[in-house]
Amino acid sequence: DPDSFYNRSIAADLRYSTAPVVMTAVTSLLGTLYLFISAYDVISAASTLALVFWLVSLVAVPVGTIFSWGINALAIYGLSRLLLEESQPFKTVLCCVGWGYVPQAVAALMNSILVFYVASTATFPDSIQQLGPFINELNSGPGFTALSVASIMFTVWSGFIWTIGIKNVQSVTVKRA
């Protein structure tokens, strides 16, 4: 029951609401890391620039997740301040938005599992020029198409969690949230 969850102190504790964001960052990184390790020989033999590009990608995935948490929280906080008579502190909204990353962590885990499965059965190319098209080909197919549809549902689920969270922390109706 989301309403009773947001009425507990754990929901407003930044230490706990950070966990779904960190889980999303880590599970998002797993698939990229697996591809990097699998293609390391090709990448490292190609050029320093190719290696740097992949290393930046490995850093950008988790940093992007954490950055998006802050941007989403700022957007929701800004809308709350603009549209509601009174607003909770930013930290409260940040906690609320953090819990909305639970579905995103599930989606990222599903994506990483699919990448593991598809990449583990593939033969990686021998040259860096073939690596880009190869990875694009790996990320296409019925499994990734189904995952794209599922990701839309996970995003809607996150929106539902954020709506219920704002409803409870701002003490407004679902319609106002």
Side-chain angles (χ1 to χ4, degrees):
D1 178 26
D3 284 326
S4 65
F5 172 77
Y6 277 107
N7 290 325
R8 296 187 312 191
S9 63
I10 190 172
D13 192 329
L14 196 55
R15 293 174 300 173
Y16 298 111
S17 63
T18 302
V21 179
V22 171
M23 289 184 332
T24 302
V26 169
T27 54
S28 295
L29 182 62
L30 293 177
T32 306
L33 186 60
Y34 184 75
L35 287 175
F36 176 75
I37 292 168
S38 299
Y40 180 77
D41 292 337
V42 174
I43 295 167
S44 63
S47 71
T48 304
L49 184 61
L51 185 58
V52 167
F53 173 77
W54 274 86
L55 291 174
V56 167
S57 296
L58 290 174
V59 171
V61 169
V63 169
T65 300
I66 293 166
F67 182 74
S68 72
W69 175 35
I71 293 297
N72 287 332
L74 277 172
I76 291 171
Y77 178 74
L79 286 171
S80 295
R81 299 263 319 171
L82 184 67
L83 300 174
L84 302 174
E85 293 81 35
E86 59 182 70
S87 181
Q88 292 294 318
F90 177 72
K91 179 185 170 206
T92 305
V93 174
L94 187 66
C95 291
C96 171
V97 172
W99 291 111
Y101 276 78
V102 170
Q104 301 306 317
V106 173
L109 180 62
M110 289 172 60
N111 184 64
S112 291
I113 290 169
L114 189 57
V115 167
F116 287 142
Y117 174 74
V118 171
S120 67
T121 60
T123 303
F124 279 76
D126 295 330
S127 74
I128 194 73
Q129 290 82 11
Q130 298 169 336
L131 190 58
F134 171 76
I135 290 177
N136 286 338
E137 187 177 318
L138 276 181
N139 287 325
S140 61
F144 284 98
T145 302
L147 188 58
S148 294
V149 172
S151 291
I152 293 169
M153 292 186 296
F154 285 120
T155 301
V156 170
W157 183 13
S158 289
F160 173 75
I161 291 171
W162 291 335
T163 302
I164 296 300
I166 293 300
K167 170 192 168 285
N168 282 283
V169 300
Q170 301 288 20
S171 300
V172 296
T173 65
V174 170
K175 183 178 178 180
R176 297 243 340 156

